Amino acid sequence: MTPGTLYLVPAPLDFGCETLAPLERVMPEATLAVAATLTHWVCENAKSTRAYLKRIHATHPLRLPLQEMQLQELPHTVHKKGDHQGHFDARPLLQAALRGENIGLVSEAGMPAIADPGSSGVRAAHELGLPVVPLVGPVSLLLALAASGLNGQSFAFVGYLPSTPAERSQRIRELEALALKTGQTQLFIETPYRNAALLQ
Amino acid sequence: MTPGTLYLVPAPLDFGCETLAPLERVMPEATLAVAATLTHWVCENAKSTRAYLKRIHATHPLRLPLQEMQLQELPHTVHKKGDHQGHFDARPLLQAALRGENIGLVSEAGMPAIADPGSSGVRAAHELGLPVVPLVGPVSLLLALAASGLNGQSFAFVGYLPSTPAERSQRIRELEALALKTGQTQLFIETPYRNAALLQ
């Protein structure tokens, strides 16, 4: 039995937006074509994965009706800040691949396992000896970095800043010192409603 | 006069490969459609930019014949390691945008200004008040990071390693210490023929 492949399926960046971009304009055709063949998914959120699959279906008919697909959510403990710490064993979520099924890994927006949950699934695939194939799609932090004009030959993505003001100031000072010393660009995530506090 | 926009146009990753992927499968349609409208380019290498434009023309007819386009190369001094240091003033390359022309910025493979020249062009656009629009396409280092299963919630891209053995060992030890201390994934570039030396 040839094992299935774990495909890393990027999602568009318009998650939660009122107006959605035509998927076939912003995603490569090969990404949508592969996604439409998959019937087993490991995802951040099953509801939004179904919504994404419906959008794919409009141009690339899905191999199975949505209600016959197997969608498994990563547990809440690995969401956002936790998936890189290696505590979650995702191998049970990939059992269908050992029966020869290809599996899609998807997050809410952008590339799974980059600034999003998913790396536990990738590690589990490597442990099980499954091929892992990343598909091309948008990655917000790289688009932002390219458009910034800042140093793209040395940069770090450092995740979220601390939410308490004292710790946040301290962390910003650390990142600033590092940037001044090494010339490295520092990228971090902040929620829109905290932008004013951040800039202060 | 409305100034033109600087579009950051990603290129496929098969630069130099014998077999080329069908462009319309691996690049989003919107990226190719915008690229086909552009008649002014700032590039790493004019010859390979012409080859890329010919591939685009096969599915998205170019607005002008190739020989009528204006292709300007970034100077060799900003290639690879130099473009982030801020010594090159790229504003003269963007003069057509002040006359209302849109301009494409492109590198040999992947996203311009990410692990590739181009950031001087982006900085110049910001200085001139031009809109900067990054288009979606493949970025090799992010695909590699996602498929690695390593920490995608804190990572650094550190460019090239030193080429002399002693300095290279020293740098690898530094990066290893940083990775062990902070959990941050370290990405760097190495040429294939040095892989054996690197792993030793």
Side-chain angles (χ1 to χ4, degrees), chain A residues 1-6 39-42 63-64 68-72 91-103 128-131:
Chain A
M1 166 76 70
T2 309
T5 292
L6 182 69
T39 56
H40 290 69
W41 291 88
V42 173
R63 213 177 91 200
L64 277 186
E68 292 174 31
M69 294 213 183
Q70 192 192 95
L71 271 67
Q72 298 182 96
R91 286 176 297 180
L93 301 183
L94 303 181
Q95 292 305 302
L98 301 179
R99 302 190 306 269
E101 300 284 356
N102 294 330
I103 298 182
L128 294 171
L130 308 178

Side-chain angles (χ1 to χ4, degrees), chain A residues 109-140:
Chain A
M111 192 74 174
I114 304 278
D116 250 349
S119 66
S120 59
V122 180
R123 285 192 297 276
H126 289 309
E127 284 163 16
L128 294 171
L130 308 178
V132 174
V133 175
L135 299 174
V136 173
V139 183
S140 58

Side-chain angles (χ1 to χ4, degrees), chain A residues 8 24-26 28-30 80 84 113-116 122-123 126 136 142 145-149 151-157 159, chain B residues 8 24-26 28-30 80 84 113-116 122-123 126 138 142 145-149 151-157 159:
Chain A
L8 313 187
E24 72 281 12
R25 294 264 304 157
V26 297
E29 212 275 324
K80 296 294 171 204
H84 54 288
I114 304 278
D116 250 349
V122 180
R123 285 192 297 276
H126 289 309
V136 173
L142 266 280
L145 174 60
S148 72
N151 186 356
Q153 277 150 349
S154 173
F155 61 88
F157 171 68
Chain B
L8 313 186
E24 72 280 13
R25 295 265 302 158
V26 297
E29 213 275 323
K80 297 296 173 203
H84 55 288
I114 304 279
D116 250 347
V122 179
R123 286 191 297 276
H126 289 309
L142 266 281
L145 174 61
S148 72
N151 186 355
Q153 277 149 350
S154 173
F155 61 88
F157 171 68

Side-chain angles (χ1 to χ4, degrees), chain B residues 61-92:
Chain B
L62 303 176
R63 212 178 93 199
L64 276 187
L66 266 181
Q67 57 274 26
E68 292 174 31
M69 294 212 183
Q70 190 192 99
L71 271 67
Q72 296 183 98
E73 288 186 357
L74 288 164
H76 283 283
T77 51
V78 310
H79 283 195
K80 297 296 173 203
K81 297 186 190 178
D83 205 13
H84 55 288
Q85 286 164 348
H87 301 317
F88 177 62
D89 179 0
R91 285 176 297 179

